[in-house]
Amino acid sequence: MAQKHGVLIVNLGTPSEATPAAIKHYLGEFLRDRQVVDLPPLLWLPILYGIVIPKRLKYITEHYQAIWLNNQSPLLFYCEQLWHKMQVRYPDLPCELAMTYGEPSLLSALERLKNCDTIHVISLYPQYSTTTTLAASKKINQLVSNWPQPPIFNYLYDYADNPHYIDALVYHIDQHLCLNQPDILLLSYHGIPMSYVKKRPDEYVTRCELTTHLIKQKITRYYPQLEVMMTFQSRFGKGKWTEPNTSDVLFELAKKERSVTVICPGFAVDCIETLHEIDIENRELFINAGGKSFNYIPALNDNPLQCELLAALINESLPKQPN
């Protein structure tokens, strides 16, 4: 009997609404995960619910409200667009979309795929990290641990150096640089605590450096005078995080009156970290500090380039058909 294959597309997650209640619920689920914050629960949960969420809820709600798209979060909107396009492209292949935290839930997606013999999990995290990719796979394994005959799961490690991914990004960047070439192309990735890099260990920084190297190698063929820099954003708390910090670098570049274009290669689709943190907060910081010009290149989102990339990742995951 032929094996039945299915595809599960996974991203991090998002609040269901841009309201304090929905955002509080989402942050609670997200930040309770030990892969995200590895402090002991007895220590962390009182801090999370007594200090962190109450202190940050008002302005996080305002930030989500500023970027809300078509009555939902941009992350969910673009992921759903990609998912629908893959369903059209692969009409005979069961394909589901799920979020590690929030809706659509991993459990509901897995239930719809439970008749598959093998589920190919495509996590939309180009660079592997224990805080994202591993968190999703651990949750999936936990959810099916009591199933009598769970499917085989084929996890995509990451696609930091996948030629389809690099080519899509380089072409996407070129479409913007050819219209307005800056002094600096800044590649900003989400940061993680340095303690995770050392003690887990987590290869995330190395994977980001690899993506940066491959992009720089190709894009500077067309723009030999372009300076390419790599930074990390979204620092949280007082501990040491991956460096250099995006905001600090932008501030220094602004004082030198440089022109900057920013892209966030670690984000498959736009979200609060790109649309608000980069394109609103850091743009304002840069311009107010004297920067010459600031441009943000959107994520690949549901661009045809991203659709071709996702199709390539699915094709590479599925077993090869005999000739």
Side-chain angles (χ1 to χ4, degrees):
M1 183 183 295
Q3 295 283 300
K4 184 177 181 181
H5 293 264
V7 170
L8 178 60
I9 300 169
V10 181
N11 209 332
L12 186 80
T14 176
S16 57
E17 298 178 310
T19 62
I23 292 168
K24 180 180 179 180
H25 178 79
Y26 167 71
L27 290 176
E29 182 183 0
F30 171 44
L31 295 174
R32 282 199 311 268
D33 192 327
R34 293 293 299 277
Q35 290 299 131
V36 179
V37 179
D38 63 1
L39 293 174
L42 287 176
L43 172 64
W44 171 238
L45 293 184
I47 296 173
L48 174 63
Y49 287 104
I51 300 174
V52 174
I53 292 179
K55 183 178 179 181
R56 298 167 64 89
L57 188 59
K58 182 178 183 294
Y59 75 82
I60 291 178
T61 301
E62 292 171 351
H63 293 178
Y64 271 113
Q65 290 172 347
I67 65 164
W68 220 238
L69 176 66
N70 287 2
N71 205 32
Q72 61 185 158
S73 78
L75 183 145
L76 181 57
F77 174 80
Y78 289 121
C79 283
E80 284 186 338
Q81 294 300 306
L82 282 171
W83 172 44
H84 293 319
K85 289 175 182 179
M86 291 306 104
Q87 287 179 312
V88 171
R89 186 156 186 160
Y90 298 95
D92 299 322
L93 180 68
C95 182
E96 295 293 338
L97 170 68
M99 301 292 160
T100 308
Y101 317 100
E103 299 291 336
S105 73
L106 275 173
L107 181 59
S108 60
L110 289 167
E111 289 285 353
R112 290 190 290 273
L113 292 170
K114 71 185 309 178
N115 291 327
C116 295
D117 298 296
T118 300
I119 298 175
H120 303 272
V121 182
I122 311 290
S123 297
L124 295 180
Y125 312 120
Q127 293 78 26
Y128 174 87
S129 173
T130 59
T131 62
T132 51
T133 325
L134 184 60
S137 63
K138 278 194 168 186
K139 189 169 183 179
I140 290 170
N141 292 337
Q142 180 185 21
L143 288 170
V144 303
S145 61
N146 293 325
W147 289 13
Q149 291 183 305
I152 296 169
F153 287 93
N154 176 28
Y155 292 103
L156 176 68
Y157 174 79
D158 76 358
Y159 50 100
D161 58 347
N162 186 291
H164 299 282
Y165 165 64
I166 299 300
D167 288 346
L169 280 175
V170 170
Y171 184 81
H172 188 52
I173 292 168
D174 181 46
Q175 287 180 311
H176 288 79
L177 295 191
C178 70
L179 300 174
N180 186 8
Q181 184 176 341
D183 300 318
I184 311 289
L185 174 66
L186 187 68
L187 309 184
S188 180
Y189 298 85
H190 199 292
I192 63 172
M194 281 304 299
S195 61
Y196 294 5
V197 176
K198 295 174 181 176
K199 71 182 181 182
R200 286 190 173 185
D202 194 309
E203 300 176 21
Y204 176 69
V205 173
T206 302
R207 304 303 287 173
C208 293
E209 289 172 343
L210 177 58
T211 296
T212 298
H213 169 73
L214 294 172
I215 291 173
K216 181 176 180 179
Q217 194 176 50
K218 288 203 167 190
I219 202 68
T220 51
R221 294 176 188 171
Y222 310 111
Y223 303 95
Q225 303 304 314
L226 181 69
E227 185 177 352
V228 180
M229 300 179 69
M230 169 180 160
T231 60
F232 295 94
Q233 64 184 82
S234 308
R235 188 164 54 187
F236 170 72
K238 297 181 179 180
K240 185 170 178 57
W241 280 55
T242 43
E243 295 281 357
N245 180 50
T246 297
S247 297
D248 295 342
V249 170
L250 284 171
F251 184 76
E252 292 301 319
L253 292 173
K255 290 197 298 184
K256 297 176 183 177
E257 298 184 353
R258 310 298 294 277
S259 59
V260 175
T261 291
V262 182
I263 189 169
C264 302
F267 295 88
V269 297
D270 276 315
C271 55
I272 192 169
E273 286 88 353
T274 61
L275 296 176
H276 201 282
E277 183 182 350
I278 295 298
D279 203 23
I280 295 178
E281 293 177 39
N282 276 281
R283 175 189 293 276
E284 183 178 333
L285 176 152
F286 182 80
I287 296 302
N288 289 345
K292 186 176 177 183
S293 69
F294 181 101
N295 287 291
Y296 170 66
I297 300 177
L300 290 172
N301 293 326
D302 61 341
N303 185 304
L305 294 167
Q306 177 100 302
C307 294
E308 291 303 316
L309 165 61
L310 190 51
L313 295 176
I314 292 173
N315 291 340
E316 290 168 6
S317 295
L318 293 173
K320 301 294 183 287
Q321 296 299 320
N323 295 325

